[in-house]
Amino acid sequence: MLLHILARGKIGRSPEADLVDRYLKRVTLPTKVTELPDRGGKLPPAAPGTVTVMLDEKGAQLSSMAFAQRIEGWRDGGKRECRFLIGAADGFDDAARAGADLLIAFGAMTWPHMMARAMLAEQLWRATSMLANHPYHREG
């Protein structure tokens, strides 16, 4: 299953970009990052078998284990791609939210979208390492 981050805004050369690269290189599933302009521009069409996860302040706050279990279920259920959408500064409207399969939030605080991208990359590494029984994640 492809883990595909679709993010508004250009991350450029930055500490956040270094973190994204560092973590995505460790992920054992195929990964892809697509950057979209801050405004305008359409998402590439989703192929059949695609799950859409939107990072949104109104989303569920999943534990890392619950997040990994979701990815495992989609992977084992034959999903071909899992898209993670990160919006621009104004986030997503209700119509966009309604089109997502899952809304998630990284806590109650608002995070800059470049930090959210780095945090997502780390959580993807954490999730795939848990699924591979790697000792990176420690509960408790």
Side-chain angles (χ1 to χ4, degrees), residues 3-138:
L3 302 175
H4 189 178
I5 299 172
L6 293 107
R8 294 270 176 202
K10 303 282 185 198
I11 200 167
R13 292 171 47 192
S14 65
E16 296 90 351
D18 292 343
L19 284 171
V20 171
D21 290 342
R22 178 183 306 160
Y23 287 116
L24 290 183
K25 284 178 183 175
R26 298 175 184 174
V27 175
T28 54
L29 294 173
T31 63
K32 180 178 179 180
V33 176
T34 300
E35 291 185 328
L36 302 166
D38 283 330
R39 299 198 190 288
K42 293 192 174 200
L43 292 173
T50 297
V51 174
T52 300
V53 178
M54 186 174 286
L55 276 65
D56 187 83
E57 64 185 6
K58 297 180 180 179
Q61 295 182 39
L62 302 177
S63 69
S64 294
M65 182 62 75
F67 183 63
Q69 289 168 340
R70 292 281 181 115
I71 290 173
E72 179 180 42
W74 294 324
R75 181 198 65 193
D76 295 352
K79 297 297 182 184
R80 301 197 60 182
E81 178 179 350
C82 184
R83 290 179 153 198
F84 296 91
L85 306 182
I86 301 173
D90 293 331
F92 299 102
D93 62 22
D94 289 336
R97 285 185 193 100
D101 296 297
L102 176 66
L103 300 176
I104 61 173
F106 292 141
M109 293 181 177
T110 301
W111 294 96
H113 61 277
M114 296 304 173
M115 285 296 299
R117 197 182 308 190
M119 292 164 63
L120 175 60
E122 191 280 336
Q123 285 298 304
L124 291 172
W125 155 241
R126 184 177 294 273
T128 56
S129 69
M130 281 193 268
L131 297 177
N133 294 314
H134 186 281
Y136 177 66
H137 178 75
R138 293 182 284 286

